[in-house]
Every structure is written in structure tokens, then in C-alpha cells.
Amino acid sequence: MKIGIADTTFARIDMGRIAADEIRRHASVGLERYVVPGIKDLPVACKKLIEERGCDLVMALGMPGGAEKDKVCAHEASQGLILCQLMTNKHIIEVFVHEDEAKDAKELAWLMEQRTREHAVNAVRLALRPKDLEKLAGTGQRQGFEDVGPARP
């Protein structure tokens, strides 16, 4: 099993290093990393990780800015990641943290790390233990901020 990590130089913390660290805590798998400038470069990075480097699953990590044009770019990148999943029949776990999700740089750094770590655990579950995700179905899990819980207890 090999998990790919695609991340960007635009992000304000090293999300790829954090993802690799968390994956290593939970599984003994091969890791491949591919760093690109920005989030719109992530779809091709993910496709290369899958097709050229033999990854079974990929995490796409990025930090869109807070401006409206950044939200548009994030949406375009997300569509590209979905298309890449369909083209390769492989999962790509999108981990985006928008700069305006946090009230300041300290909270942003915390959120980026927390969301990355929680999604890295999800990547391991999806790749190696998908039944673990079944147990969490409908439980209101959120990556980063606090879970919201089920609508019906």
C-alpha cells in the first residue's frame, strides 16, 4: 500500500510533513510526496502520484486564500480533484483550509494541522480499514473544529 501526499508552497504551514507524520503514526505504508505551487496544480500532482508513482490513495493538501478569487480557484481545484478520482478510480482526500476560516494566524496554523492530521487518519482508514469508517457513519465527524455529533442521538 502506498499513500500519496500532494501539497503546495502557497500554504502557510507544511501540511505535507504533518500528513506524513500522522500517517506513519497509524500505519506502515509507503509514502510519496509531490509539492506544487498552488491548489490548482494539485489535480495533476495527484494524477501523477497515482499513475506514475503507483499510489493507491492520495491526500491533496492546500490553503486557499480568503479573497473571492481564491474561493473560485479552490472550487476549480476541487472539481479537478473529483475528475481525477473518476479518471483513476482512486480516492483523493481533499484537505483544504481556507484562510478566512480562522480568526488569526495562530488559529489558522492550529486548524491546518488539526484538519491535516484528522484527514490523514481518515486516509489510513480508507486505505487499510474501511470498516472503521462504517462505524463512524452518521456521527457528525468534522475535521479540524469540534465534531457536531449525530442529528438523532
Side-chain angles (χ1 to χ4, degrees):
M1 176 63 60
K2 191 187 296 187
I3 296 177
I5 298 170
D7 61 317
T8 72
T9 62
F10 187 82
R12 293 179 60 191
I13 67 169
D14 189 347
M15 297 172 78
R17 181 194 54 77
I18 293 166
D21 175 64
E22 194 66 25
I23 289 167
R24 286 186 188 106
R25 288 181 191 205
H26 295 275
S28 180
V29 297
L31 292 175
E32 286 282 333
R33 188 170 178 192
Y34 194 119
V35 180
V36 295
I39 59 170
K40 290 191 295 185
D41 303 303
L42 287 172
V44 73
C46 291
K47 192 167 184 287
K48 285 177 167 284
L49 283 165
I50 292 165
E51 293 181 349
E52 296 174 11
R53 298 191 189 177
C55 293
D56 301 290
L57 179 144
V58 176
M59 292 183 70
L61 309 162
M63 187 210 80
E68 187 58 35
K69 67 181 171 186
D70 297 315
K71 294 178 189 318
V72 171
C73 289
H75 183 261
E76 291 169 351
S78 191
Q79 287 184 313
L81 293 171
I82 292 167
L83 183 58
C84 184
Q85 289 184 83
L86 295 171
M87 291 171 66
T88 62
N89 204 31
K90 304 277 183 177
H91 288 286
I92 298 172
I93 306 296
E94 178 184 307
V95 185
F96 286 0
V97 178
H98 293 258
E99 196 166 20
D100 61 358
E101 286 186 73
K103 64 181 177 272
D104 56 32
K106 182 178 178 183
E107 185 180 56
L108 180 65
W110 172 86
L111 180 58
M112 292 175 79
E113 179 161 351
Q114 190 68 19
R115 186 169 291 161
T116 299
R117 288 191 183 281
E118 290 184 29
H119 271 301
V121 172
N122 283 336
V124 170
R125 288 173 176 152
L126 191 56
L128 301 175
R129 297 184 293 277
K131 290 288 185 188
D132 288 356
L133 287 172
E134 282 185 34
K135 295 173 189 170
L136 295 171
T139 60
Q141 299 293 303
R142 299 295 184 268
Q143 289 70 42
F145 292 120
E146 191 174 325
D147 297 339
V148 297
R152 286 185 265 177

